[in-house]
Amino acid sequence: MHRRHLVTGLPAAALFAAGTGFPAAADGGAFRAFRVMRAGRDIGRHTLSATGGPDGFALDIEIDLVVRILGIAAYRYEMRVSERWAGGRLVAFESTTNDDGTDDFARMRREGEGIAVDGSAFSGLQPGDAAVTTYHSLALMERRPWLSSQTGTPVSIDPRPVTGESGAFEMRGDLGSVLIYDGSGDWIGCRFDAGGEPAEYELIDTDGSIAAAWAASA
């Protein structure tokens, strides 16, 4: 997802997170779950489930954020993503987002040498080597452009290694965040400014390597 959509509309108030139970990865697949923190408060969950092999790579994502003020849900953010790759190229993508009652979507499909995008904020043909803002593998860092997983809009990125922090990249441009990867190329965290407060992803559950599953299909 696009970094700024993680906390759009979240006030500086008491924040409520979703439950903490997660499924294990399917046989031959990989799974990871992040806890999203803002100013030290737990604000929700972001999970990724993947399978990959010679026949292709499949990634499914769920994001759930809920804000409660005095016990009442004041803001909700829900996103569901289905992403499919073959031969190292995106072949199909679909997302739906409920941003506190505002519906966004992005649908993408391979069309010849390009990717046809139909989104709530952008429609058009994009280069065939484009990636989506789901961040799952370091190998995608060199792809251009990145496409917003929420609206389909092309996203400008200029990644710069963070001095003294192995695997961390400052994502200058439209994202304005720091993405962090391990030695296997798996996404393991990020941090960003959320309405003037520091926010970060904390990896809380992992099973297998999503980067390896993606590479097996390339």
Side-chain angles (χ1 to χ4, degrees):
M1 69 184 298
H2 197 300
R3 189 272 314 171
R4 64 172 170 263
H5 292 137
L6 292 173
V7 291
T8 299
L10 295 182
L15 299 173
F16 173 82
T20 58
F22 301 105
D27 290 344
F31 174 83
R32 61 193 47 231
F34 293 95
R35 172 170 45 229
V36 186
M37 303 292 292
R38 178 177 184 266
R41 296 179 182 271
D42 185 338
I43 68 172
R45 298 291 183 270
H46 181 149
T47 65
L48 304 89
S49 301
T51 57
D55 295 331
F57 172 82
L59 178 69
D60 296 293
I61 296 172
E62 296 186 2
I63 303 172
D64 291 283
L65 304 177
V66 181
V67 178
R68 293 185 185 274
I69 301 175
L70 299 178
I72 299 173
Y75 175 85
R76 293 183 181 273
Y77 181 97
E78 300 169 343
M79 186 183 211
R80 300 294 181 266
V81 172
S82 174
E83 183 175 340
R84 303 295 182 261
W85 294 70
R89 286 188 157 193
L90 184 69
V91 295
F93 179 93
E94 184 169 354
S95 73
T96 57
T97 303
N98 171 17
D99 189 351
D100 202 35
T102 298
D103 294 328
D104 278 315
F105 67 91
R107 293 187 286 268
M108 308 175 197
R109 69 181 187 282
R110 178 149 298 280
E111 191 171 282
E113 291 301 308
I115 297 172
V117 180
D118 177 23
S120 53
F122 175 86
S123 294
L125 192 64
Q126 290 294 298
D129 283 335
V132 189
T133 58
T134 50
Y135 312 144
H136 54 82
S137 301
L138 178 60
L140 300 176
M141 193 68 71
E142 299 302 319
R143 299 294 181 98
R144 298 292 187 278
W146 282 13
L147 306 172
S148 168
S149 58
Q150 181 164 328
T151 65
T153 304
V155 175
S156 173
I157 64 167
D158 180 17
R160 306 287 182 89
V162 176
T163 302
E165 187 175 1
S166 179
F169 295 84
E170 180 184 0
M171 304 299 289
R172 299 180 183 181
D174 293 333
L175 294 182
S177 59
V178 173
L179 299 180
I180 307 166
Y181 296 84
D182 66 13
S184 299
D186 276 296
W187 181 38
I188 58 171
C190 69
R191 57 181 182 267
F192 50 93
D193 179 86
E197 298 285 356
E200 64 180 335
Y201 268 36
E202 295 180 355
L203 185 62
I204 59 173
D205 194 10
T206 183
D207 183 6
S209 170
I210 291 179
W214 181 85
S217 70

